[in-house]
Amino acid sequence: MAGSKDPRTARTRGRLREALLAACEEQTLEQVAVSDVVRRAGVGRATFYLHYDDLHTLAVDACAGLVRDAVDALHAWETPPGPEHPPGALVDLLDAVRARVAVHRSLLRPGGGGPLGELLHEELRLRSLAERRQRRPGGGDGDEAVASAVAGLFTGVLADWVHGRVTGTPPELAGRVWRMLVALHATHGRA
């Protein structure tokens, strides 16, 4: 069903994702029950299980859009901007996260865990690794480590920011994160 192009499937999945996100604005993911999600979505419990194995699977699907936006925001440049000028898409992303901070706090654990953190880390790692290999055909020593460091740095800082462990406005945080990422790449030979 995941690859189905049936518009009914897409609508149902969309309603379930929105219902989960709405529930996560009021309580943590661990406190959300399938019964609450199906009630909010206006579907039956059997319909939920037709589309998702459990709430964690639904949460990962619900996070996919933000993850895609985050990965794109960190790579939204043709020529790498200097350390003092983060991509505007990164600031926009952080503004969007702040606008729904309760949802992101529920799906992203301090330090970077949770369904959003796991997916974000993996997608950022893969994109960073692909870009490094594209820019340096044949790869370079430590490309895997740098890709993991990029993913860990951004995911961890974002998680700690939504949990109040890191302070700053979206532009301030974007600047700090961007300077760290530029330094990481400079230290490890971005071509």
Side-chain angles (χ1 to χ4, degrees):
M1 274 281 187
S4 175
K5 296 193 187 245
D6 182 344
R8 294 170 298 174
T9 297
R11 277 193 306 272
T12 300
R13 285 176 163 258
R15 288 180 19 212
L16 288 166
R17 286 190 300 267
E18 282 306 312
L20 176 72
L21 295 175
C24 287
E25 286 193 25
E26 300 167 5
Q27 54 197 341
T28 66
L29 181 61
E30 291 78 21
Q31 296 169 319
V32 174
V34 170
S35 58
D36 184 29
V37 172
V38 298
R39 179 184 50 75
R40 288 172 186 259
V43 302
R45 194 175 189 88
T47 300
F48 174 89
Y49 287 109
L50 179 64
H51 295 282
Y52 298 101
D53 293 334
D54 53 30
L55 283 174
H56 182 83
T57 307
L58 171 58
V60 169
D61 189 30
C63 295
L66 176 69
V67 168
R68 196 173 34 258
D69 292 347
V71 171
D72 289 346
L74 287 176
H75 297 89
W77 42 268
E78 292 291 322
T79 304
E84 298 306 316
H85 304 287
L90 180 56
V91 177
D92 295 343
L93 171 79
L94 295 173
D95 276 330
V97 168
R98 183 174 63 178
R100 290 190 84 182
V101 73
V103 171
H104 298 104
R105 193 177 295 130
S106 178
L107 299 171
L108 184 61
R109 302 288 170 264
L116 175 54
E118 293 163 9
L119 184 61
L120 181 58
H121 185 279
E122 184 60 15
E123 293 299 319
L124 280 171
R125 190 185 70 73
L126 290 173
R127 177 81 169 265
S128 182
L129 185 57
E131 278 198 358
R132 288 184 69 81
R133 288 185 173 160
Q134 180 182 3
R135 288 181 182 359
R136 297 162 30 130
D141 289 338
D143 280 351
E144 294 86 1
V146 172
S148 291
V150 165
L153 186 153
F154 183 75
T155 304
V157 171
L158 180 66
D160 286 350
W161 182 61
V162 300
H163 285 278
R165 294 175 167 189
V166 172
T167 60
T169 65
E172 291 168 344
L173 186 66
R176 281 187 239 140
V177 166
W178 188 249
R179 284 188 296 278
M180 288 186 274
L181 290 172
V182 168
L184 176 65
H185 283 296
T187 302
H188 294 283
R190 175 185 283 273

